[in-house]
Amino acid sequence: METLDFLFGRVMPALNEGVVVSIQLIVPSALLGVFFGIVIGTLRVYGTFGLDTAANAYAALFRGTPLVVQLLFLYYGLPNIGIYLEPYGAAVIGFALCSAAYHSEYIRGGLLATRRGQLLASQALGFSTWQSMLSIIVPQAVRRALPGCGNEIIYLIKYSSLAYIVTCMELTGQGKMIATQTFRFSEVFLAVGAYYLLIVTVATFLLRKLEDRLRIPGFGHA
Amino acid sequence: MENTPILRVENVSKSYNGKAVLKSVSLELNAGQHKVLIGPSGGGKSTLLHCMNYLVTPDSGRIQLDGREVNAHSRKELYAFRQQVGMIFQEFNLFDHLTALDNVAIALRKVKGQSRKEAETRAMAELERVGLADRARHYPAELSGGQKQRVSIARALAMDPKVMLLDEPTSALDPELTGEVVSVIRALARSGMTMAMATHQMEFARALADEILFMQGGEIIERGSPAELLAPGAATRTADFCRRLAEMGGD
């Protein structure tokens, strides 16, 4: 009884507050991450004038360093050069930048799997390179990359827990606070884990829906 | 104006990695003319056709449409030029994520700026013309090779090109599927479309061509009417090539 009172009276109100912040972190980070991932991935494959090299360097940098280090740099390091970010802002920027690097890898694979003849065909019809990318090549690459990108979004949901390191009080942060105040680590972190499991389950369902909606004969499983 | 060819190719050369693929090739296409390129693979037919649409930029030489030289450095001119020169590829190159209807309509919308309704009406008319109105909502993965190639012809025709270039339009098809594509191309020729086509189908070439151009080693080494080049006992490279094709069992 006492445990239930503790969970419902103390833990859940705090975690509910935290989960709202988590979702506020995850949704914009995921959208920005996918958007920049598509841009970076496309530049990596089709970029000219050194843009491909720059995009490759970006991906190497953000995939090659720990996210925690990136967040610490954004929040504690940037003030040294006069840039002050809110904890929330620092976390979203960090997540989006890191996520974009991974998405770009999936998009790159999707682009390479899209037959180049279609680019030629669109050019023969008078498409500019930009129009070809936007209407022909990228929509196919995104469909092919969707399972991978979905996986990356699931990862993002979980690494959003790192936001508490830059003092952004999201789900894990709230849990850690109660746990250290009450020393009831096992109950609190089991509850925190259950919350993440729930978010991931919902996200998996939504991503599956999206895949179904975008399904076209000839792409993946017909 | 009467004598201005629709498409004129003058001394066009192209090399890849120092290897000459086209050596100063010239040809003219007058209104309503049908020219057929034949010759061994790697002879430069495909590269020539790609140059004629500026999908491949020639190293030197000139290409004129309706007596006007194309300025390949101006993207705008290049895009406008390509709209007027239709291209059919051996591998069809349909847009895999679009239905047959959208494959035809998308360039009308994105390049010509037509409304969706306007573009779809036109696209439907072109699909009817190639006998595929009932396949309009199918995706490329749901079409046979012959149907795909007919959609790609409809897609090119919807842009109202002045010339059509066909790069071995039946070579990637199973033999039993070439017939439907050949008859669409024949109907197109009868309608007066100006065309240049590369093919290995000699019967088709003989029936269609006003002039046959035999290409080998990046040069046009013989040109003439099918009657001249393929006359019984003619001692031409073209006739020799055809005999060897026939011996190999290819048509």
Side-chain angles (χ1 to χ4, degrees):
Chain A
M1 256 358 264
E2 194 276 332
T3 306
L4 283 182
D5 283 345
F6 173 65
L7 278 179
F8 285 107
R10 183 83 195 269
V11 177
M12 280 183 63
L15 294 192
N16 287 345
E17 227 173 278
V19 85
V20 171
V21 177
S22 282
I23 287 167
Q24 284 170 343
L25 285 167
I26 292 161
V27 172
S29 301
L31 294 176
L32 287 170
V34 168
F35 175 76
F36 286 114
I38 292 172
V39 173
I40 304 280
T42 308
L43 288 176
R44 289 176 70 186
V45 178
Y46 287 104
T48 45
F49 306 115
L51 282 173
D52 47 345
T53 315
N56 278 326
Y58 172 90
L61 184 67
F62 281 87
R63 291 205 306 151
T65 54
L67 177 58
V68 182
V69 175
Q70 293 166 24
L71 289 174
L72 291 174
F73 179 81
L74 284 171
Y75 187 65
Y76 295 107
L78 286 185
N80 287 336
I81 54 166
I83 300 172
Y84 294 87
L85 296 171
E86 297 291 310
Y88 174 78
V92 168
I93 292 173
F95 294 156
L97 290 177
C98 176
S99 192
Y102 284 95
H103 283 304
S104 83
E105 192 66 14
Y106 296 115
I107 295 290
R108 193 174 75 91
L111 286 168
L112 293 176
T114 301
R115 287 181 301 112
R116 244 181 151 98
Q118 296 182 59
L119 185 60
L120 218 55
S122 60
Q123 286 171 339
L125 291 165
F127 279 76
S128 66
T129 311
W130 177 242
Q131 284 174 321
S132 301
M133 286 299 143
L134 223 52
S135 312
I136 308 296
I137 305 299
V138 170
Q140 294 186 42
V142 169
R143 279 189 174 80
R144 292 203 164 89
L146 208 55
C149 290
N151 196 36
E152 174 57 25
I153 289 172
I154 302 295
Y155 271 122
L156 167 68
I157 291 170
K158 290 172 294 170
Y159 62 63
S160 73
S161 62
L162 292 174
Y164 87 90
I165 285 176
V166 293
T167 74
C168 184
M169 289 306 280
E170 42 63 76
L171 190 50
T172 306
Q174 293 283 4
K176 188 160 184 279
M177 196 167 69
I178 302 177
T180 47
Q181 282 166 1
T182 61
F183 289 96
R184 300 176 71 161
F185 291 95
S186 48
E187 293 101 316
V188 171
F189 285 121
L190 275 174
V192 169
Y195 270 72
Y196 279 108
L197 193 58
L198 184 71
I199 305 177
V200 167
T201 306
V202 171
T204 306
F205 174 77
L206 292 177
L207 286 164
R208 187 65 50 81
K209 277 268 194 212
L210 183 68
E211 270 185 55
D212 285 344
R213 263 201 66 169
L214 293 179
R215 179 153 296 159
I216 280 179
F219 286 77
H221 312 287
Chain B
M1 274 312 281
E2 278 296 299
N3 294 325
T4 310
I6 288 195
L7 195 65
R8 182 206 291 269
V9 175
E10 228 174 348
N11 301 323
V12 163
S13 298
K14 179 75 190 175
S15 44
Y16 291 110
N17 305 323
K19 187 178 178 298
V21 183
L22 288 179
K23 299 172 189 161
S24 194
V25 172
S26 300
L27 71 95
E28 288 179 1
L29 272 173
N30 291 318
Q33 258 190 336
H34 312 131
K35 299 207 173 184
V36 173
L37 302 169
I38 63 164
S41 301
K45 305 185 296 290
S46 186
T47 308
L48 175 60
L49 289 173
H50 281 70
C51 281
M52 287 163 78
N53 201 356
Y54 267 102
L55 287 176
V56 169
T57 309
D59 296 336
S60 62
R62 305 201 303 168
I63 291 165
Q64 292 178 326
L65 185 70
D66 273 340
R68 281 198 47 223
E69 188 164 346
V70 188
N71 175 10
H73 296 297
S74 156
R75 280 166 186 257
K76 227 179 130 187
E77 263 191 53
L78 203 57
Y79 301 150
F81 168 79
R82 287 181 183 149
Q83 284 179 54
Q84 300 175 66
V85 182
M87 183 88 187
I88 300 300
F89 301 88
Q90 186 177 346
E91 302 291 342
F92 332 126
N93 293 342
L94 288 189
F95 307 134
D96 288 332
H97 65 310
L98 299 177
T99 60
L101 186 71
D102 285 336
N103 259 281
V104 182
I106 191 161
L108 295 174
R109 288 170 51 207
K110 304 289 174 188
V111 179
K112 293 208 163 181
Q114 293 182 5
S115 70
R116 178 183 284 271
K117 192 160 174 281
E118 210 180 342
E120 287 186 353
T121 309
R122 177 66 197 270
M124 203 62 198
E126 292 301 338
L127 286 178
E128 264 165 36
R129 183 165 163 185
V130 299
L132 287 174
D134 60 330
R135 291 284 181 275
R137 304 286 167 193
H138 287 59
Y139 285 93
E142 303 169 313
L143 299 173
S144 73
Q147 290 171 338
K148 284 187 212 179
Q149 192 60 295
R150 283 148 70 196
V151 171
S152 94
I153 292 171
R155 178 174 70 178
L157 290 177
M159 300 301 282
D160 291 317
K162 292 177 173 160
V163 188
M164 287 277 273
L165 309 175
L166 303 99
D167 187 9
E168 301 197 24
T170 57
S171 295
L173 296 174
D174 292 336
E176 74 270 21
L177 295 178
T178 58
E180 56 184 277
V181 173
V182 165
S183 65
V184 164
I185 295 170
R186 280 199 167 138
L188 189 60
R190 272 197 303 277
S191 75
M193 176 60 75
T194 310
M195 301 197 287
M197 175 173 74
T199 187
H200 285 297
Q201 279 199 294
M202 285 319 301
E203 275 316 305
F204 185 25
R206 189 201 296 262
L208 191 85
D210 300 314
E211 189 178 46
I212 287 179
L213 309 171
F214 187 86
M215 282 193 83
Q216 191 170 33
E219 290 175 289
I220 297 175
I221 59 173
E222 261 177 20
R223 56 174 96 199
S225 69
E228 288 163 20
L229 295 183
L230 298 170
T236 57
R237 296 296 299 273
T238 310
D240 185 46
F241 180 71
C242 292
R243 271 193 294 278
R244 275 185 288 129
L245 268 189
E247 277 164 23
M248 289 189 305
D251 153 308

